[in-house]
Amino acid sequence: MRIAPGWLNSAPFRPGRDQVPGSVEAIVPTQNQLFVLDGANRMVQVYNPDAIRARQLGGLARPTDLVVDKQGTVFVADQGAGGVLVFENNGRFRARLGQEGKGSDAFIGLSRLALGQSGELYCLDATQRQVQRFDRFQRRLDSWDIQGDVKIPPIDLAWHARGLLVLLASGQIQIFDGNGLAKEAMPPASQAGLGIEMESPDSLTCDAGGEIYVTYGASGVIARYESTGKITGLRGAPCSAPCKMFCQDSTGRSY
């Protein structure tokens, strides 16, 4: 679904019958294209604003997330391939970041990605409870450990002006500072006093204005936070299936 700024109206983003992705693992809208990670067909489908497929990036093994930087470089989290696959903006494969294995320089459970303001790449290894990092030149930086109850896994991460946000299965959002320490946290939506029983969350994103959104697919709602971390309400997605992902492009359109 493509939702106009202000949530005033919505319309389906509907590719042609022979261009529909087999499954949607992640979506990234840019100003003029929509990148869709198609897990069933193990590729990235790239669509123009009119929902016509422009190109495909294939050769994936078990992809779970993707991000696209300002230059159009595509990063795909693919534990099946052992790390993060990097593609040029013309679709040409550039490199793989990381390898399969234990430790701060390898991945066991690579799941989600996020880009920082200056192009840093943050990679969530949910199994090792680590955030592995690379600078904008894809050089490895120190990894950060996720503290807390090991029975509560990390779900997603996103860059914010306050620091790196890490969403936990409890709905709590940890805020990591530049030294990799989570000294602050935002409460789960279930503590907002809105009278709705919340299931485990699915995804986390931040918009250009600094507001934060957490999707609860099983509960059928999106929780909205101010940039300060205050919960401002819940909104049901205008679609017939549970909403598991949410993102915005530079014009304020939501997907």
Side-chain angles (χ1 to χ4, degrees):
M1 298 300 298
R2 178 166 46 193
I3 306 167
W7 299 73
L8 299 178
N9 58 68
S10 63
F13 188 91
R14 184 177 290 125
R17 182 182 299 273
D18 61 340
Q19 299 182 352
V20 175
S23 67
V24 178
E25 307 302 327
I27 48 177
V28 174
T30 63
Q31 192 162 10
N32 55 6
Q33 288 186 317
L34 184 71
F35 290 75
V36 178
L37 182 59
D38 183 347
N41 292 312
R42 297 182 293 179
M43 63 176 56
V44 178
Q45 310 275 10
V46 186
Y47 299 96
N48 291 327
D50 55 4
I52 300 297
R53 187 171 61 204
R55 64 186 190 278
Q56 299 170 303
L57 306 177
L60 309 180
R62 197 169 69 247
T64 53
D65 198 16
L66 86 158
V67 291
V68 183
D69 69 11
K70 297 176 182 178
Q71 288 72 44
T73 306
V74 179
F75 301 86
V76 180
D78 191 340
Q79 181 61 55
V84 181
L85 303 182
V86 186
F87 296 87
E88 306 282 359
N89 57 10
N90 61 5
R92 182 180 299 173
F93 177 73
R94 178 196 295 176
R96 185 190 69 186
L97 306 179
Q99 58 187 347
E100 187 171 10
K102 294 182 179 180
S104 58
D105 62 347
F107 298 105
I108 297 177
L110 175 62
S111 57
R112 307 292 289 178
L113 302 175
L115 284 172
Q117 187 174 22
S118 300
E120 305 94 343
L121 179 66
Y122 298 91
C123 314
L124 177 61
D125 188 325
T127 303
Q128 296 193 101
R129 298 181 64 85
Q130 281 185 343
V131 176
Q132 297 195 30
R133 306 183 302 137
F134 299 85
D135 68 13
R136 63 190 182 95
F137 302 107
Q138 285 92 64
R139 295 176 301 203
R140 183 176 286 279
L141 303 172
D142 292 339
S143 298
W144 294 346
D145 293 325
I146 300 173
Q147 304 298 324
D149 190 343
V150 296
K151 297 179 181 179
I152 303 177
I155 300 296
D156 201 358
L157 73 175
W159 173 256
H160 191 268
R162 296 180 62 186
L164 182 71
L165 307 183
V166 176
L167 174 68
L168 303 179
S170 63
Q172 183 188 63
I173 303 173
Q174 293 185 355
I175 308 172
F176 284 74
D177 62 20
N179 296 317
L181 300 176
K183 298 179 180 179
E184 300 180 80
M186 301 178 190
S190 58
Q191 296 182 10
L194 300 175
I196 298 179
E197 188 71 23
M198 308 296 288
E199 302 290 339
S200 181
D202 293 287
S203 72
L204 168 72
T205 193
C206 305
D207 67 14
E211 292 184 317
I212 301 157
Y213 301 85
V214 178
T215 64
Y216 290 82
S219 302
V221 297
I222 301 170
R224 177 185 177 190
Y225 295 72
E226 290 182 351
S227 58
T228 60
K230 179 182 177 182
I231 300 174
T232 57
L234 304 175
R235 184 181 291 273
C239 46
S240 59
C243 176
K244 291 192 175 184
M245 286 165 285
F246 176 93
C247 56
Q248 286 189 329
D249 64 15
S250 58
T251 68
R253 288 186 302 245
S254 304
Y255 291 83

